[in-house]
Amino acid sequence: KKGPTYFGAPVSKRFTRFGAGALLFNNAQGGSRNIGFGVTGSYHMPLDDKNLSFLSGGVTLKGFYNMMDSIPDIAPSKNSFIPNIDAGVYYYGQNLHIGISAANILGNMLDSADNAVYDIPVSRQYFFIAGYKFVLSKSLNIILEPSLIINLDDSLNFEKKETYNPMLKLYMEDFCVGGYIHDYNNLTFFFQYRFPKLYLGTLVDFPKNVPFYKRELVIEIALGLNLGKTSSISPMSRHW
């Protein structure tokens, strides 16, 4: 929104339909390391007069510089530059959101001989996400949001339970708590809290089959800073 506050967003027609961003990453996995960069753009088309529902599309152009360690007596070390594309379409309204996307559409772009020897962790992925918000208390701003993420590769194997990742979120004013199954050997819980200019969150993976004190916990901490102007007129000027 271009205005000084976000409070009038549901009735305002002043917004920017285009979005842009950039990313840098460094990912080490086994004997392989990816250093990459990307640029992304999106377009958001309103579907009603009050701008409460949108259809969005986005494309990311990125490149990986992959460094693969040598395999003794089999293959020497190998460095490759791999360009790639992500793309997706997303609908979101007051209650329902649904989207479909694909990552690494071009695959790892190596020939069959190299693919037989090297395991380059750049694979084509397909994602489907859908969720719905149920208002439990309008006066207290309590909302329950179940959602589902479906993650597939080129095998399109719908029989694996790991393909289906359900999520449940409970929003209570400035607080959000939930659970997520992305690994069926773990139970994942997270919470988020929003301050006027700051967003703080954490995620913890608890193992299911062994006591947590016998295995290291996976803990992630997220911190976000809102660089835009924040209105002090009403707490409703901020939205999740």
Side-chain angles (χ1 to χ4, degrees):
K1 184 177 183 301
K2 294 181 179 179
T5 69
Y6 189 62
F7 184 67
V11 296
S12 172
K13 294 184 179 180
R14 295 180 300 160
F15 62 92
T16 302
R17 296 192 182 192
F18 293 93
L23 60 114
L24 294 170
F25 56 90
N26 179 16
N27 179 34
Q29 181 176 334
S32 177
R33 181 181 177 189
N34 282 330
I35 299 175
F37 64 92
V39 292
T40 185
S42 62
Y43 181 78
H44 308 273
M45 181 177 65
L47 300 179
D48 57 23
D49 294 336
K50 293 185 177 181
N51 299 326
L52 294 176
S53 59
F54 286 80
L55 184 66
S56 298
V59 175
T60 296
L61 304 178
K62 60 186 181 181
F64 303 85
Y65 185 72
N66 178 263
M67 293 164 283
M68 178 65 69
D69 291 345
S70 62
I71 304 173
D73 302 323
I74 297 178
S77 60
K78 183 178 179 64
N79 296 337
S80 305
F81 177 75
I82 305 170
N84 232 305
I85 301 173
D86 301 342
V89 178
Y90 187 65
Y91 164 81
Y92 56 99
Q94 286 182 282
N95 298 96
L96 176 68
H97 65 268
I98 185 170
I100 187 170
S101 62
N104 302 323
I105 294 174
L106 303 180
N108 63 29
M109 298 186 67
L110 298 182
D111 58 39
S112 57
D114 283 341
N115 276 321
V117 176
Y118 299 98
D119 184 17
I120 309 293
V122 180
S123 60
R124 192 178 292 111
Q125 300 286 320
Y126 308 98
F127 299 94
F128 171 82
I129 184 171
Y132 193 88
K133 286 183 172 68
F134 296 92
V135 179
L136 303 184
S137 173
K138 196 168 185 179
S139 60
L140 298 176
N141 289 326
I142 299 178
I143 297 173
L144 186 68
E145 183 190 68
S147 59
L148 177 67
I149 299 173
I150 299 177
N151 182 5
L152 294 164
D153 56 20
D154 279 339
S155 67
L156 299 180
N157 186 352
F158 287 91
E159 297 180 0
K160 293 192 305 181
K161 64 180 181 180
E162 291 79 10
T163 298
Y164 305 94
N165 307 135
M167 183 186 301
L168 185 65
K169 292 182 180 180
L170 181 66
Y171 298 97
M172 297 173 287
E173 285 286 354
D174 294 325
F175 185 72
C176 173
V177 63
Y180 175 49
I181 299 179
H182 67 97
D183 181 343
Y184 281 78
N185 294 318
N186 298 325
L187 293 175
T188 302
F189 298 96
F190 59 86
F191 78 87
Q192 299 167 287
Y193 193 86
R194 61 177 187 181
F195 298 93
K197 297 285 291 184
L198 193 67
Y199 297 80
L200 177 66
T202 186
L203 177 148
V204 182
D205 263 344
F206 292 95
K208 290 172 57 178
N209 301 324
V210 297
F212 70 89
Y213 56 83
K214 291 187 177 181
R215 182 190 298 177
E216 293 183 356
L217 296 179
V218 176
I219 300 175
E220 298 180 7
I221 297 175
L223 182 66
L225 179 64
N226 182 5
L227 300 177
K229 293 182 179 180
T230 302
S231 170
S232 59
I233 298 175
S234 168
M236 289 303 293
S237 62
R238 305 191 308 275
H239 298 262
W240 281 104

